[in-house]
Each structure stands twice: as structure tokens, then as C-alpha cells.
Amino acid sequence: MSSKKNKNLHKMEEEVSDDDTESSGASEDDDLAYAGNEQVQIDFEGRAPTDPDSHGICQLLQRVFLKAHVNCMLLAELIIAQNFVGSVISQCESDGIESDVDDDMCDDSTIFGITTVLNITAKKDTPCVDQLRAFIIKKAEKHATDAVVKHFQDIFGDETRSIGYLINERFINIPTEISVPLLENLEREIVKAHQKGMKFDFVYYLMFIKLYRKESKKGKPHQDFYTNAEEELLVEKAINSFEYSVVDESDMGMGGDWLKADGNLIPYRKIILFDAKQLPDLIIDIRKQVKGE
């Protein structure tokens, strides 16, 4: 779709706390101290990212990388520059109808999410992508097995096998249902871009998955709670992955609707690789999950 694309995704009732849409300043502890029980109704639309969205996209990416040396503003600009692929989630224009959303919570420029892909093989010499690739290898060397490190190093060094950094970020408590049309749309756009000769013929997709872990106690296994529920399916299909704790880093309001009683949840990031050919089937599985099939 072109840069003028505009798709009404959902009208949903959201459960959000007053802190859910703050752009910055909240800590991981704030994320875990969810109050809950406030409902607002928002009309969402998916559209191509444009220049004014750069700050909002940057903030979403910062919640992935936290204190990492990755220039998220330059990544946001790369995303916007490829206006033929990807969507941001924004609030529909009200057409004079009063919204349930308080003006203090968000304004017309608020970006609630981003779903897109970047070719981190073709763009490897772009400074922000170079920072991203170096960050991944550094984390792998510290937290992954030797076999996993070697696999990541091998595919990063092979320019014949393009890696797409699949970005699937949104505000907390926006329901999983919204991911289905966004991912379906992204898949169509990737196919069209490749058909036009653009560098979107991916062999692998790489993702950063945000999750919280309730550590094992008294012989019970640990429990993982995914910030974006649909991503658990992607993790299950990963051909390689590793994870690391970010408990000592500052997050910004993206944890999830965890209650104060769940204060022992530990925030993690999981970096996964999966076969690009699996994406259509994974989207079907996510759709089935959403429908409860």
C-alpha cells in the first residue's frame, strides 16, 4: 500500500492505567504496580508511518533496547523512509464524535504501535543498523551458547541470506487482536516490495521479544508472561534464540497489566530467529489463537 494507506483496524475497549500512555519516566517497578480497572474506548487505524511519527516510533523502540547503544531515532527514520512497507497504529479521527480518551492520555500525534520490517543485511553499513547488529552479537556472546553465537555470527556474515528485523511493538493492554491485520498487511507488503525488485527477499526474521518471568519456586517451573501474547507462538517456532534479563535497566511503561502482587516478575528480552517461510503459517496460527480456535 502507498503512504496514503489508512485502514480502520478495530474499535476496542482497553483496560489501561493512567501511566500506560506516558511516553517516558516510568520504571520497571512502575510497570509491575498496575492499578487496572479503567476502561476507555478507542478507534484505531493502521497507516503508513510519516515524518511526524519519528518521535513516537523512537520511543517504542527505546522500550525494546533500553540502555543499549542503538540510535533509535535513526532506526525510526529508516522505517519512515521505506514508506511502502509497515504500519503505525494511531487513533482514528473522531469526525466530531467525542472520544472516551482523555486529552491528557494521548493527543492526535500519539503512535500506539508499529509493525514493520527492516533489512539488516542490506542496510548493515547504516550506522544505527551496525549498532543493532553489534549489540545482538555482544549479547549473544554473553548470554547464548557457543553454538547459538556461531549461528548468529554466520548468518550475520552471509550477505546472501537476508535477515529482516521484524518489529512488532505497541502500547501495553492493546489487545492481541490488533496484531492480526497488521501482520497480514505487512506480509502482503513484503511480497509486493519483493515483486518490484526491492530487497525484501528474507531468509530469516529476527525479533526482540519482551517478557516477564516468574522464577521457579519449590520445584515448580518458571512461568513466562509475554508482553505481546501472540509472540509466544513465534518463540515456539524459533530456529534459534537466547535471552537476557533487563532487571537492572529502566523500562518505560511497556511491561503489561501485572498486579502489585506479582512484584517478583523479572523482565527479560528474548532474541529469536525464525525461517521467513514460516511467517504466513504463523499469522494463521495467531488468527486462530485470537479467535479461540
Side-chain angles (χ1 to χ4, degrees):
M1 292 196 295
S2 72
S3 61
K4 296 181 179 179
K5 70 181 179 186
N6 190 23
K7 182 179 180 182
N8 189 8
L9 297 175
H10 283 283
K11 177 180 285 186
M12 300 177 179
E13 288 189 351
E14 309 297 332
E15 290 187 0
V16 296
S17 70
D18 290 341
D19 293 332
D20 283 344
T21 51
E22 289 183 1
S23 61
S24 64
S27 68
E28 290 284 354
D29 290 339
D30 294 332
D31 292 340
L32 300 175
Y34 172 71
N37 298 325
E38 181 180 348
Q39 291 189 344
V40 295
Q41 185 167 289
I42 306 175
D43 282 332
F44 289 125
E45 66 181 15
R47 58 170 176 78
T50 58
D51 288 343
D53 300 327
S54 59
H55 184 64
I57 295 171
C58 176
Q59 288 181 326
L60 288 165
L61 294 174
Q62 286 172 337
R63 291 159 179 165
V64 177
F65 298 111
L66 303 174
K67 294 180 179 180
H69 181 59
V70 177
N71 192 321
C72 293
M73 181 57 75
L74 289 182
L75 281 178
E77 291 173 357
L78 274 182
I79 289 168
I80 292 169
Q82 55 178 30
N83 61 7
F84 42 83
V85 168
S87 302
V88 293
I89 307 171
S90 61
Q91 186 179 359
C92 292
E93 295 181 5
S94 61
D95 295 328
I97 301 175
E98 187 174 342
S99 171
D100 290 344
V101 183
D102 193 299
D103 290 340
D104 292 335
M105 293 178 63
C106 61
D107 56 38
D108 292 339
S109 63
T110 299
I111 299 304
F112 291 87
I114 173 74
T115 298
T116 192
V117 66
L118 281 174
N119 189 329
I120 62 172
T121 301
K123 298 182 182 295
K124 65 182 180 65
D125 294 326
T126 305
C128 58
V129 174
D130 180 60
Q131 291 170 351
L132 170 62
R133 289 163 58 100
F135 171 77
I136 293 168
I137 295 300
K138 182 178 179 180
K139 285 295 186 184
E141 291 172 343
K142 184 174 181 179
H143 298 282
T145 65
D146 290 343
V148 171
V149 173
K150 185 177 186 307
H151 186 214
F152 273 80
Q153 290 174 334
D154 287 347
I155 64 172
F156 274 28
D158 185 353
E159 295 186 17
T160 67
R161 296 184 287 177
S162 290
I163 306 168
Y165 168 32
L166 183 58
I167 302 169
N168 182 49
E169 297 300 323
R170 60 180 182 270
F171 276 23
I172 61 172
N173 301 328
I174 295 181
T176 304
E177 289 90 330
I178 204 169
S179 67
V180 176
L182 289 170
L183 289 170
E184 288 176 336
N185 184 64
L186 179 63
E187 182 195 358
R188 289 192 295 268
E189 291 178 330
I190 290 171
V191 171
K192 290 180 181 178
H194 176 55
Q195 290 173 345
K196 293 179 179 179
M198 299 174 182
K199 295 181 179 181
F200 281 83
D201 184 17
F202 299 114
V203 176
Y204 301 107
Y205 286 116
L206 177 146
M207 289 187 73
F208 283 76
I209 307 294
K210 300 197 302 296
L211 61 97
Y212 280 74
R213 175 165 297 163
K214 188 173 184 178
E215 299 292 358
S216 58
K217 282 188 177 181
K218 298 180 180 179
K220 295 181 179 179
H222 68 256
Q223 292 178 279
D224 289 343
F225 303 90
Y226 290 83
T227 304
N228 296 334
E230 72 277 5
E231 291 177 353
E232 184 172 3
L233 291 172
L234 303 177
V235 170
E236 292 172 357
K237 297 296 184 180
I239 58 176
N240 240 328
S241 67
F242 66 91
E243 62 188 29
Y244 55 96
S245 169
V246 291
V247 69
D248 295 326
E249 301 180 40
S250 175
D251 208 339
M252 296 174 288
M254 293 295 287
D257 54 349
W258 320 123
L259 304 178
K260 293 180 181 179
D262 290 327
N264 60 338
L265 294 176
I266 307 300
Y268 277 81
R269 297 291 181 267
K270 187 185 288 284
I271 300 177
I272 70 168
L273 278 172
F274 64 93
D275 191 323
K277 294 179 181 178
Q278 291 180 296
L279 184 59
D281 289 337
L282 286 169
I283 296 173
I284 292 172
D285 290 342
I286 292 170
R287 189 191 306 119
K288 289 179 179 179
Q289 179 191 60
V290 166
K291 293 181 178 179
E293 297 178 0

